[in-house]
Amino acid sequence: MSFTSLGLAPALLKALETEGYSQPTPIQKQAIPAVIAKKDVLGIAKTGSGKTAGYVLPILHNFQTAPPSQYREPTVLVLVPTRELAGQVRQVFQTFIPSLTNRPICLAVSGGVSINPQMQAIGKVNILVATPGRLLELIEKNAVRLSSISTLVLDEADKMLNLGFREEVDRILALLPTARQNLLFSATLGEDVGLIRQLILNDPQVIKIAEEPEATDPINQLGYLVSEEKKGPLLRYLIKHGDLKQVLVFASSTLKVDGIVNKLLKNRIHAAAIHSKLGQQARNFTLQQFKSGQLRVLVATDLLARGIDIEFLPCVINYELPRSPKDYLHRIGRTGRAESPGDAISLISPEEMDHFKVIQKKMGTRVKILSGDQLDLQGY
Ligand code: ADP
Ligand code: MG
């Protein structure tokens, strides 16, 4: 099945061809016609399954058929949890917008950079991609109004409706017209399904793409049982011994992330950090370097666990386990994307073992666990 039968405008079909998207992914097959038909959608499909284009393409189609020039306020709002994701989603819009004859203007706004340029630019915007905090700031400064929003997207929906964001998102929702299209996309769905139902007022189309059978699971999971003080040497052993060229390492705190990076640098392994305490410029630069293969090891907090699309990332290492099985799933979802298999390695201290068992049980997988302490880590 090709994109042709989904009802997309010819201009978009042409752009898809140029981009090398020959076939819609399963979530796109179902989401695209539903979004074009202005239905509400709850789309659940695993990481890397193309959820972004699943809403970007039909939204742009709808602009093509109803020219954007008639609006003076944004009509589409996409809420995302991180600055990185805001930039990435805008990029996907930007990939397809030039092919249209009716070209909407898309802007991403998020914190960590000066608000002034965003205040200047936001006046002419049709599609606004935003993190909740910065959007509320802009609203408070009267730089933007949300009273013309006709389509709302919550990307990483469960995260956006989770405790950390709930209050901000609720404040934003209160400013939107009640008659609107709601599109919620996520790889995982929190326990709070009731709330999601409540939010999707209008007879939602629920699209749930089943996980592929394990035989074709592109992620090889592996665990090392290792004492806390040997995690550093083991990490360096895995990188050097395995000759890993592009590794994403997750740790739980900003402090820990910085510590790991320092140790790697001391051992002459090219590494850098991404966490919330770093400025936007630094974060962008580091992510860019990592994506382009110029940075060997990127160490990050869970900030980077969500939604970030990195092609052919061969290896993810959990230096510490995440708190929830859901976060584990998002973290390891950074590897093994787009048909290229990847490794997800967890360094598990004896204290973390029970927690790892809980994660495995929730995921319904059994991960092979090796003894890290038995390895000869001298010199690493
Ligand atoms: P998700 O949000 O589901 O985790 P993304 O939207 O970030 O996934 O897409 C993952 C990758 O798949 C991106 O690099 C994107 O360009 C690519 N992709 C999306 N749809 C298609 C398609 N139909 N054909 C080929 N590649 C696609
Ligand atoms: Mg995504």
Side-chain angles (χ1 to χ4, degrees), residues 222-295:
L222 186 65
Y224 279 98
L225 180 60
V226 61
S227 51
E228 195 62 45
E229 64 274 13
K230 279 201 176 163
K231 281 190 175 181
L234 176 57
L235 175 65
R236 297 187 288 275
Y237 168 87
L238 291 170
I239 293 168
K240 284 187 175 170
H241 195 75
D243 197 22
L244 302 177
K245 300 273 191 277
Q246 200 186 24
V247 197
L248 178 57
V249 178
F250 283 109
S252 50
S253 69
T254 300
L255 208 67
K256 198 84 187 191
V257 165
D258 285 338
I260 295 168
V261 168
N262 284 338
K263 277 276 174 59
L264 287 169
L265 290 173
K266 273 196 189 126
N267 284 275
R268 292 203 211 101
I269 297 172
H270 188 27
I274 288 190
H275 54 61
S276 58
K277 300 253 160 61
L278 295 166
Q280 176 70 84
Q281 302 253 304
R283 276 163 64 165
N284 283 351
F285 179 75
T286 301
L287 188 60
Q288 212 36 59
Q289 289 260 305
F290 186 62
K291 281 189 174 187
S292 64
Q294 294 168 78
L295 173 65

Side-chain angles (χ1 to χ4, degrees), residues 197-353:
R197 290 280 176 180
Q198 219 179 312
L199 180 76
I200 302 181
L201 303 160
N202 214 348
D203 182 26
Q205 176 151 349
V206 180
I207 306 169
K208 192 160 195 257
I209 305 298
E211 292 284 329
E212 279 160 39
E214 238 169 88
T216 57
D217 193 341
I219 305 172
N220 310 311
Q221 298 178 59
L222 186 65
Y224 279 98
L225 180 60
V226 61
S227 51
E228 195 62 45
E229 64 274 13
K230 279 201 176 163
K231 281 190 175 181
L234 176 57
L235 175 65
R236 297 187 288 275
Y237 168 87
L238 291 170
I239 293 168
K240 284 187 175 170
H241 195 75
D243 197 22
L244 302 177
K245 300 273 191 277
Q246 200 186 24
V247 197
L248 178 57
V249 178
F250 283 109
S252 50
S253 69
T254 300
L255 208 67
K256 198 84 187 191
V257 165
D258 285 338
I260 295 168
V261 168
N262 284 338
K263 277 276 174 59
L264 287 169
L265 290 173
K266 273 196 189 126
N267 284 275
R268 292 203 211 101
I269 297 172
H270 188 27
I274 288 190
H275 54 61
S276 58
K277 300 253 160 61
L278 295 166
Q280 176 70 84
Q281 302 253 304
R283 276 163 64 165
N284 283 351
F285 179 75
T286 301
L287 188 60
Q288 212 36 59
Q289 289 260 305
F290 186 62
K291 281 189 174 187
S292 64
Q294 294 168 78
L295 173 65
R296 191 172 182 189
V297 186
L298 175 59
V299 190
T301 55
D302 277 307
L303 174 107
L304 223 69
R306 291 275 182 160
I308 294 302
D309 177 41
I310 303 171
E311 223 178 337
F312 305 128
L313 180 59
C315 186
V316 168
I317 296 180
N318 291 314
Y319 191 91
E320 294 160 309
L321 292 178
R323 251 171 299 176
S324 72
K326 214 197 300 175
D327 285 333
Y328 179 84
L329 198 71
H330 282 284
R331 283 185 182 185
I332 71 170
R334 296 310 109 214
T335 185
R337 327 200 74 196
E339 264 89 68
S340 54
D343 295 317
I345 303 172
S346 297
L347 312 190
I348 309 157
S349 69
E351 295 76 40
E352 290 174 305
M353 203 57 208

Side-chain angles (χ1 to χ4, degrees), residues 51-52 85 88 155-156 307:
K51 293 188 287 297
T52 323
L85 206 47
Q88 186 179 296
D155 201 338
E156 302 290 340

Side-chain angles (χ1 to χ4, degrees), residues 1-6 21-29 32:
M1 186 197 192
S2 74
F3 278 101
T4 323
S5 51
L6 298 179
Y21 285 26
S22 53
Q23 283 192 0
T25 63
I27 184 92
Q28 290 165 0
K29 267 182 215 165
I32 290 172

Side-chain angles (χ1 to χ4, degrees), residues 128-175:
L128 188 57
V129 184
T131 54
R134 178 48 64 94
L135 178 58
L136 285 169
E137 273 181 79
L138 286 159
I139 291 167
E140 267 154 32
K141 289 184 184 293
N142 281 324
V144 64
R145 282 160 52 88
L146 301 181
S147 50
S148 300
I149 297 294
S150 57
T151 299
L152 167 73
V153 182
L154 297 186
D155 201 338
E156 302 290 340
D158 64 334
K159 177 93 182 169
M160 302 310 294
L161 296 170
N162 217 327
L163 277 180
F165 279 113
R166 189 62 177 280
E167 196 213 339
E168 286 176 337
V169 170
D170 278 347
R171 280 170 61 200
I172 292 167
L173 293 183
L175 299 171

Side-chain angles (χ1 to χ4, degrees), residues 12-25:
L12 287 169
L13 294 176
K14 214 161 158 213
L16 281 162
E17 208 180 303
T18 315
E19 281 305 305
Y21 285 26
S22 53
Q23 283 192 0
T25 63

